Amino acid sequence: MKTRLLSLLVVSLVSLGSSSCQNDEELTENISSPVEAKIHPWDWEPEESHLIAGRAIYLQECALCHDEGEEGAPALTHVRQWEKRAVKGLDLLVENAINGFVGEDGKMPARGGTETLTDLEVRNAVEYMVATPK
């Protein structure tokens, strides 16, 4: 029961900061807020429809690199890597994922290398990665 309540609290906190981020400060807080209950990212199932869709895209297209942080990709569970990116703001993270990006840590291919992904699918996947408990 205690674990269930803590899980609900975590999901509520994460949901508050995902798609409704009004500014970069809120995005950074969402990633770096300490949470007592540790939910493994792969066990977290979001309730918001765009995050559910983002999770499906993540599992199908993004997990290969982002589960473990292959080739400089920020690992889904690595707080510092996501904090570093969060300060840029959600819109820039999405833009970089859509158009591709070469940074000091590595290269993000446009649409993760899957040209058939729509802008909305990419946005949902990025929002899922940002919202996932770290």
Side-chain angles (χ1 to χ4, degrees), residues 9 19 24 27 29 36 44 46 49 52-53 55 65 68-69 71 81 93 95 100 105 112-113 119:
L9 175 63
S19 66
D24 296 346
L27 178 62
E29 287 173 8
E36 287 185 28
W44 179 63
S49 61
I52 292 169
R55 182 176 190 265
C65 293
E68 301 297 328
E71 298 185 32
Q81 290 175 340
L93 290 176
E95 181 182 319
D105 296 329
D119 289 359

Side-chain angles (χ1 to χ4, degrees), residues 38-104:
K38 191 69 173 175
I39 295 176
H40 199 280
W42 298 283
D43 295 333
W44 179 63
E45 294 187 24
E47 295 179 8
E48 295 179 50
S49 61
H50 75 285
L51 295 178
I52 292 169
R55 182 176 190 265
I57 295 296
Y58 174 84
L59 292 172
Q60 184 176 355
E61 304 294 340
C62 311
L64 183 64
C65 293
H66 287 281
D67 271 359
E68 301 297 328
E70 297 293 322
E71 298 185 32
L76 190 62
T77 58
H78 201 283
V79 174
R80 288 188 193 134
Q81 290 175 340
W82 284 101
E83 285 176 336
K84 181 174 143 181
R85 286 159 176 84
V87 297
K88 298 176 182 179
L90 182 62
D91 288 337
L92 184 58
L93 290 176
V94 171
E95 181 182 319
N96 287 344
I98 289 171
N99 298 318
F101 178 77
V102 177
E104 61 187 51

